[in-house]
Amino acid sequence: KAGVTQTPRYLIKTRGQQVTLSCSPISGHRSVSWYQQTPGQGLQFLFEYFSETQRNKGNFPGRFSGRQFSNSRSEMNVSTLELGDSALYLCASSLISTNTEAFFGQGTRLTVV
Amino acid sequence: DQQVKQNSPSLSVQEGRISILNCDYTNSMFDYFLWYKKYPAEGPTFLISISSIKDKNEDGRFTVFLNKSAKHLSLHIVPSQPGDSAVYFCAAPLRSYGGATNKLIFGTGTLLAVQP
């Protein structure tokens, strides 16, 4: 069974640009969550999608958005990139929203210069 | 407000000895706790969990202890192996919307180094 797949693995963007990251959850999993990992803040919850609906949102500005498709694949978008957005972005999938155990992808390392 | 805290950023242990990683929490509504292991450039991997109705859960070399009155949990690894060297995160799900969804609240992690 394939795990959680995130693409791309690495990205370098310039301040002011926008970026789209992709996540394919484990087959059959309908819940996808996104987390940001930075050295200073650790792992911070961004948002969760279930059946194409955003079910939960963390404390991030509106520049961070996401969506989920009917096949459960998810994308997150960051607009007007800032230097502080440089981080490892992790996607996690669960069978359903209430599952406590989440399976993580390898992450996308975003560097904003 | 850090609801899950790991106060030791790093820990060094000799191979074969016990590793004890600690985690404290402040939110008494947490009813489940998880430990994740993370290697550099990889996503966290689920290791072991414990429900708040238990005080101990064991899985092979890994045991998690929960002390609800102290709002403290610990992960014991016995015996420690060099391959255990990684960052360990403690996490708890924060329930929302009557439990219909939850998000994981993570500690800041402890870097474990197991010396051969």
Side-chain angles (χ1 to χ4, degrees), chain A residues 32-90:
Chain A
V32 174
S33 298
W34 289 88
Y35 291 82
Q36 180 197 65
Q37 185 186 16
T38 57
Q41 298 295 319
L43 277 147
Q44 302 282 316
F45 173 81
L46 279 154
F47 27 64
E48 185 217 355
Y49 286 87
F50 181 78
S51 292
E52 303 177 64
T53 302
Q54 188 181 90
R55 299 291 295 271
N56 208 342
K57 193 176 190 308
N59 295 324
F60 279 83
R63 300 185 297 107
F64 292 81
S65 63
R67 59 178 175 169
Q68 187 180 35
F69 302 94
S70 58
N71 61 359
S72 294
R73 190 177 71 85
S74 177
E75 289 181 347
M76 69 162 280
N77 184 277
V78 188
S79 62
T80 321
L81 283 165
E82 301 177 359
L83 295 179
D85 297 333
S86 295
L88 179 67
Y89 290 88
L90 292 158

Side-chain angles (χ1 to χ4, degrees), chain B residues 34-85:
Chain B
L34 307 93
W35 283 93
Y36 280 86
K37 174 180 177 180
K38 186 179 183 302
Y39 294 115
E42 291 187 14
T45 303
F46 170 74
L47 201 55
I48 191 170
S49 61
I50 187 167
S51 165
S52 62
I53 62 172
K54 295 185 175 182
D55 53 20
K56 176 182 173 182
N57 188 28
E58 193 172 350
D59 184 2
R61 297 186 296 115
F62 302 92
T63 303
V64 56
F65 295 92
L66 175 62
N67 182 334
K68 283 181 65 178
S69 60
K71 293 192 176 68
H72 176 85
L73 61 156
S74 60
L75 174 68
H76 292 212
I77 306 174
V78 183
S80 300
Q81 300 173 353
D84 295 330
S85 298

Side-chain angles (χ1 to χ4, degrees), chain B:
Chain B
D1 174 32
Q2 233 183 321
Q3 300 184 66
V4 178
K5 303 175 187 178
Q6 293 176 259
N7 293 318
S8 299
S10 63
L11 175 68
S12 183
V13 170
Q14 287 292 325
E15 181 179 4
R17 306 293 290 269
I18 183 172
S19 295
I20 299 177
L21 298 104
N22 294 304
C23 178
D24 297 296
Y25 62 96
T26 58
N27 191 335
S28 56
M29 298 299 291
F30 287 148
D31 59 5
Y32 202 83
F33 301 90
L34 307 93
W35 283 93
Y36 280 86
K37 174 180 177 180
K38 186 179 183 302
Y39 294 115
E42 291 187 14
T45 303
F46 170 74
L47 201 55
I48 191 170
S49 61
I50 187 167
S51 165
S52 62
I53 62 172
K54 295 185 175 182
D55 53 20
K56 176 182 173 182
N57 188 28
E58 193 172 350
D59 184 2
R61 297 186 296 115
F62 302 92
T63 303
V64 56
F65 295 92
L66 175 62
N67 182 334
K68 283 181 65 178
S69 60
K71 293 192 176 68
H72 176 85
L73 61 156
S74 60
L75 174 68
H76 292 212
I77 306 174
V78 183
S80 300
Q81 300 173 353
D84 295 330
S85 298
V87 177
Y88 289 78
F89 290 95
C90 170
L94 186 66
R95 315 283 185 190
S96 299
Y97 306 109
T101 181
N102 62 71
K103 62 181 180 183
L104 289 174
I105 307 298
F106 284 88
T108 49
T110 296
L111 174 61
L112 173 66
V114 180
Q115 310 296 334

